[in-house]
Amino acid sequence: MKTVGILGSGIVGQTLGEGFIKYGHKVMIGTRDTSKLSEWQAKNGQNAHLGNTSETAIFGDILVLATKGTAAKELIASLDAKSLEGKTIIDATNPIADEAPEDGVLKFFTKEKSLMEILQEVAPKTNFVKAFNTIGSGFMVNPSFESKPTMFIAGNSEDSKKEVGEIIEKFGFEVEDMGTAKASNVIEQLCILWCIPGFRENKWNHAFKLMKA
Ligand SMILES: NC(=O)c1ccc[n+]([C@@H]2O[C@H](COP(=O)([O-])OP(=O)(O)OC[C@H]3O[C@@H](n4cnc5c(N)ncnc54)[C@H](OP(=O)(O)O)[C@@H]3O)[C@@H](O)[C@H]2O)c1
């Protein structure tokens, strides 16, 4: 069973970490301050590990990126390239700017390129797969919607997308592969749409579904 290194200690990192542990993986969460995760570790038993971000990148056969969007590039650049080389990174981040949303519409700090395309350039030998960025943290692992929600993914490596697709199906979603890293720009934009009912009406309990005739 592959080990999972999660770079990011917020609600997304903790939720996905718990999900991977549920399916039998050993998980390490990487953070600048492990003390804030002692409760998460105690709750999740012997497969739950904590470390700094460098230790976590080395630990994981598969990595998950779940930091604040504005911190993602610097974090990836700070890691030893050898610890990332050839690995799949599930990229759950969104490039949300520090400015407030306007009429419920979030602002991004990215322009033509997606955050994932930027990260892919910083670590070209790593296989980024955009996923889990268009669903709220409370619904990331086996959510109970009226029907199976869709998770859109994108990335340059077919093998990595296959690997991530299998994980996503276990986590209770249908997978829709939208193609290469280029498509991650559109998938990141979906986060803006997903958040609008939340900011406007405090409704955060929905998911995307691709209907097919
Ligand atoms: N919340 C959701 O429901 C949701 C859903 C889908 C996607 N996302 C995306 O998933 C990512 C994580 O979201 P989140 O809500 O779990 O947490 P968050 O509050 O956006 O980010 C927390 C993480 O970012 C790191 N971080 C923050 N500032 C940093 C800095 N200056 N330098 C280095 N690291 C820094 C923290 O590191 P330390 O542990 O070292 O403090 C922590 O690991 C975001 O990109 C978000 O847009 C969120």
Side-chain angles (χ1 to χ4, degrees), residues 4 16 30 32 35 41 68 72 92 140 143 163 173 186 198-199 204 212:
V4 180
L16 291 177
R32 292 167 297 179
S35 68
Q41 189 177 32
K68 199 173 172 220
M140 286 181 173
E163 181 173 39
F173 293 80
V186 189
F199 289 122
W204 301 96
K212 291 174 190 171

Coordinates of all heavy atoms in Angstrom, one line a residue, residues 4 16 30 32 35 41 68 72 92 140 143 163 173 186 198-199 204 212:
V4 N 1.3 8.1 1.8 CA 0.8 9.4 1.3 C 1.4 10.5 2.1 O 1.3 10.5 3.4 CB -0.7 9.4 1.4 CG1 -1.3 10.7 0.8 CG2 -1.3 8.2 0.6
L16 N -8.4 14.8 3.8 CA -7.9 13.8 2.9 C -7.0 12.8 3.6 O -7.0 11.7 3.3 CB -7.2 14.5 1.7 CG -8.1 15.4 0.8 CD1 -7.3 16.1 -0.3 CD2 -9.2 14.5 0.1
G30 N 2.5 17.3 6.5 CA 3.7 18.2 6.6 C 3.2 19.6 7.0 O 2.4 20.2 6.3
R32 N 4.5 23.5 9.2 CA 5.6 24.3 9.9 C 5.5 24.1 11.4 O 6.4 24.4 12.2 CB 5.5 25.8 9.6 CG 5.9 26.1 8.2 CD 5.5 27.5 7.8 NE 4.1 27.7 7.9 CZ 3.4 28.8 7.6 NH1 4.1 29.8 7.2 NH2 2.1 28.9 7.7
S35 N 2.6 20.8 16.3 CA 1.8 20.8 17.6 C 0.3 21.0 17.3 O -0.5 20.4 18.1 CB 2.3 21.8 18.6 OG 2.1 23.1 18.1
Q41 N -3.7 13.6 14.9 CA -2.9 12.3 15.0 C -3.5 11.4 16.0 O -3.6 10.2 15.7 CB -1.4 12.7 15.4 CG -0.5 11.5 15.3 CD 0.9 11.9 15.6 OE1 1.2 12.7 16.5 NE2 1.9 11.2 15.0
K68 N -2.5 26.8 1.4 CA -3.1 28.0 0.9 C -2.5 28.3 -0.5 O -1.3 28.1 -0.7 CB -2.7 29.2 1.9 CG -3.5 30.4 1.8 CD -3.2 31.3 2.9 CE -4.0 32.6 2.6 NZ -3.2 33.8 2.9
A72 N 1.7 28.0 -2.2 CA 2.0 26.8 -2.9 C 3.3 26.8 -3.7 O 4.1 25.9 -3.6 CB 0.8 26.4 -3.8
A92 N -4.9 20.0 -4.8 CA -6.2 20.4 -4.4 C -6.3 21.9 -4.2 O -7.3 22.5 -3.7 CB -6.6 19.7 -3.1
M140 N -15.4 15.7 0.8 CA -14.3 15.1 0.0 C -14.2 13.6 0.1 O -13.6 13.0 -0.8 CB -13.0 15.7 0.4 CG -12.8 17.2 -0.1 SD -11.3 17.9 0.4 CE -11.4 19.4 -0.5
P143 N -19.0 11.3 0.2 CA -20.1 12.2 0.6 C -21.4 11.5 0.2 O -21.5 10.6 -0.7 CB -19.9 13.4 -0.3 CG -19.2 12.9 -1.5 CD -18.3 11.8 -1.0
E163 N -3.9 6.7 -11.6 CA -3.7 6.4 -10.2 C -4.7 7.3 -9.3 O -5.3 6.8 -8.4 CB -2.3 6.7 -9.8 CG -1.9 6.5 -8.4 CD -0.4 6.6 -8.2 OE1 0.3 7.5 -8.7 OE2 0.2 5.8 -7.4
F173 N -16.6 9.4 -5.9 CA -16.9 10.3 -7.0 C -16.8 9.6 -8.4 O -16.0 8.6 -8.5 CB -15.9 11.5 -7.0 CG -16.0 12.4 -5.9 CD1 -15.4 12.1 -4.7 CD2 -16.7 13.7 -6.0 CE1 -15.5 13.0 -3.6 CE2 -16.8 14.5 -4.9 CZ -16.2 14.2 -3.7
V186 N -9.3 25.9 -16.1 CA -10.8 25.9 -16.1 C -11.3 25.2 -14.9 O -12.3 25.6 -14.2 CB -11.3 25.2 -17.4 CG1 -12.8 25.3 -17.5 CG2 -10.6 25.7 -18.6
G198 N -22.2 29.9 -1.5 CA -21.7 30.0 -0.1 C -21.6 31.4 0.3 O -22.1 31.8 1.4
F199 N -20.9 32.2 -0.5 CA -20.7 33.6 0.0 C -22.0 34.4 -0.1 O -22.3 35.3 0.7 CB -19.7 34.3 -0.9 CG -18.3 33.8 -0.7 CD1 -17.5 33.2 -1.7 CD2 -17.7 33.9 0.6 CE1 -16.2 32.8 -1.4 CE2 -16.4 33.4 0.9 CZ -15.7 32.9 -0.1
W204 N -23.3 25.8 1.3 CA -21.9 25.2 1.0 C -22.1 23.7 0.7 O -21.1 23.0 0.7 CB -21.0 25.4 2.1 CG -20.7 26.8 2.5 CD1 -21.3 27.6 3.5 CD2 -19.8 27.7 1.8 NE1 -20.8 28.8 3.5 CE2 -19.9 29.0 2.5 CE3 -18.9 27.6 0.8 CZ2 -19.1 30.1 2.1 CZ3 -18.1 28.7 0.4 CH2 -18.2 29.9 1.1
K212 N -25.1 13.1 -18.5 CA -24.9 12.6 -19.8 C -26.1 12.0 -20.4 O -26.9 11.3 -19.7 CB -23.8 11.5 -19.7 CG -22.4 12.1 -19.4 CD -21.4 11.0 -19.2 CE -20.2 11.6 -18.6 NZ -19.2 10.5 -18.2

